[in-house]
Amino acid sequence: MHQSSSSSSLGPGGLDLSQVFFKSIEDTAPDSPIKRHTKISVIGAGNVGMAIAQTILTQDLADELVLVDVNADKLRGEMLDLQHAAAFLPRTKIVADVDYNVTLGSDLCIVTAGARQIPGETRLNLLHRNVALFQLMIPPLAKYSPDTILLIVSNPVDILTYVAWKLSGFPSNRIIGSGTNLDSSRFRFLIADHLDVNAQDVQAYIVGEHGDSSVALWSSISVGGVPVLSFLKKQQIAYEKETLENIHKEVVNSAYEVISLKGYTSWAIGYSVASLAWTLLRDQRRIHPVSVLARGFYGIECGDVFLSLPTQLGRGGVIGVTNVHMNEEETERLQSSAKTISELVSQLDL
């Protein structure tokens, strides 16, 4: 069912009308051999995958966008729906197929597909089902795009990023999980809302597991370049630690609230992942809290675990992990979060 965004072969016998419709000017040179064609593949055409695809299109991040899913009818419907918006979007070739060979030569592969939790199902059993899916998805992606960057969005994202690393055989700098990039955005929003400032002026990170054991780095939060907690202390302004903890709990529970209200999350994760794609493919070298191989950072010595740390990203993937300030309590919580992930990873059979 491989379909592309357009075809110029409309004439009799498949004549390429573009050669008739346009007349070349004189003394032209061939296209530059170094002209770059950016190709992004999104695996999974569910709510999250399509929100990511739509955001990628509106932000003009790719010359070619590929959609892959096991549901051929839904896949074709989503492809056609996006193609029909061509007059309102930057020019992008949109392709969809159930076969992974369509992802050939992708610069970035974004994996959103995953099994949904069955009522009463244990987290470990859900994890095993998702590992089985990844065993079907990751090897062909690595085969057809051996130089790609793998960006994992499927949950539990930290563990599945580790699984993708093992199954792909890629170097760790080209395996990234969306991690707490969105959690940190929610965190910045809530702080900005409390202080009545723009969220873009708030520097704040959630690190560790994308889940209940995540860690809010209160000690390094700044607004407009002003460290918040040290400023309050210097001005002898009292604050309650419980208030800070409640903001963090609100971050952790915010996704559950959205799901309870509309049934799923989509738009925020779409923008979050598109921001990562923009940083990676445009070599912006911005710092994002994403899930990376964390062994050796901040005293994490519990084996090969992926969890979120403030990380500089560029065209080659992970450039490095920033040396952000953490107090003793935050460091201990991060190490505990790493152990939580490590215990689940140890139960996998890869």
Side-chain angles (χ1 to χ4, degrees):
M1 63 155 290
H2 179 190
Q3 297 286 337
S4 63
S5 57
S6 63
S7 174
S8 58
S9 301
L10 299 177
L15 175 66
D16 188 350
L17 291 185
S18 66
Q19 302 299 316
V20 178
F21 198 75
F22 298 101
K23 185 177 181 180
S24 299
I25 62 173
E26 297 180 359
D27 299 324
T28 62
D31 286 345
S32 169
I34 60 172
K35 183 178 179 182
R36 180 136 193 105
H37 177 87
T38 303
K39 181 174 181 178
I40 299 177
S41 292
V42 178
I43 315 304
N47 296 316
V48 171
M50 294 315 301
I52 292 170
Q54 188 267 351
T55 312
I56 286 171
L57 288 174
T58 57
Q59 295 188 6
D60 196 16
L61 294 177
D63 300 297
E64 183 176 357
L65 177 65
V66 174
L67 305 175
V68 177
D69 197 277
V70 294
N71 188 332
D73 289 341
K74 184 179 189 302
L75 189 61
R76 178 169 171 78
E78 295 287 8
M79 178 193 69
L80 292 173
D81 209 7
L82 290 176
Q83 288 178 347
H84 296 166
F88 315 114
L89 293 168
R91 185 173 184 267
T92 304
K93 181 180 181 181
I94 303 172
V95 178
D97 208 320
V98 295
D99 195 320
Y100 284 87
N101 62 12
V102 75
T103 66
L104 179 69
S106 294
D107 297 284
L108 177 64
C109 291
I110 303 171
V111 181
T112 72
R116 289 188 176 185
Q117 193 164 13
I118 301 169
E121 183 179 29
T122 65
R123 187 184 182 191
L124 183 60
N125 190 67
L126 173 64
L127 177 58
H128 282 305
R129 289 201 294 126
N130 274 315
V131 168
L133 286 177
F134 267 51
Q135 288 171 332
L136 299 175
M137 294 188 292
I138 300 302
L141 290 176
K143 172 186 174 182
Y144 290 115
S145 301
D147 298 317
T148 195
I149 296 170
L150 283 177
L151 177 52
I152 309 302
V153 184
S154 311
N155 280 315
V157 66
D158 302 296
I159 300 173
L160 291 179
T161 304
Y162 167 86
V163 171
W165 176 51
K166 287 296 185 181
L167 293 175
S168 68
F170 282 3
S172 59
N173 63 296
R174 290 198 282 120
I175 304 288
I176 301 165
S178 57
T180 58
N181 194 53
L182 177 53
D183 306 67
S184 296
S185 174
R186 290 167 174 150
F187 192 35
R188 293 168 65 187
F189 161 73
L190 291 171
I191 294 168
D193 196 43
H194 274 74
L195 299 177
D196 195 23
V197 298
N198 192 307
Q200 293 185 359
D201 292 321
V202 178
Q203 186 94 15
Y205 295 118
I206 300 286
V207 298
E209 179 196 18
H210 171 60
D212 296 339
S213 72
S214 64
V215 183
L217 299 186
W218 287 103
S219 65
S220 62
I221 289 176
S222 65
V223 177
V226 179
V228 172
L229 295 192
S230 60
F231 173 79
L232 294 177
K233 185 177 181 181
K234 187 176 181 180
Q235 298 296 317
Q236 297 183 341
I237 300 174
Y239 65 90
E240 292 191 9
K241 190 174 180 180
E242 185 180 354
T243 302
L244 306 185
E245 291 293 340
N246 286 337
I247 293 176
H248 180 214
K249 286 179 183 177
E250 195 171 346
V251 171
V252 173
N253 293 329
S254 57
Y256 300 127
E257 182 181 9
V258 174
I259 292 170
S260 70
L261 293 170
K262 61 176 276 189
Y264 55 90
T265 62
S266 56
W267 297 119
I269 188 63
Y271 280 105
S272 173
V273 173
S275 76
L276 296 176
W278 182 74
T279 296
L280 290 164
L281 299 178
R282 300 288 172 83
D283 197 29
Q284 291 299 299
R285 296 176 176 249
R286 293 181 62 197
I287 296 169
H288 293 269
V290 290
S291 192
V292 296
L293 183 61
R295 184 183 65 239
F297 292 105
Y298 301 102
I300 296 172
E301 299 295 347
C302 53
D304 292 336
V305 294
F306 279 73
L307 51 72
S308 287
L309 297 171
T311 304
Q312 187 184 36
L313 302 177
R315 190 61 187 79
V318 174
I319 297 171
V321 173
T322 62
N323 190 22
V324 68
H325 171 73
M326 294 187 199
N327 61 31
E328 186 176 343
E329 181 183 0
E330 290 165 347
T331 302
E332 289 176 355
R333 287 188 175 188
L334 178 64
Q335 292 170 355
S336 176
S337 185
K339 289 177 183 176
T340 299
I341 298 170
S342 178
E343 288 170 2
L344 282 170
V345 166
S346 67
Q347 299 179 63
L348 299 179
D349 183 20
L350 294 176

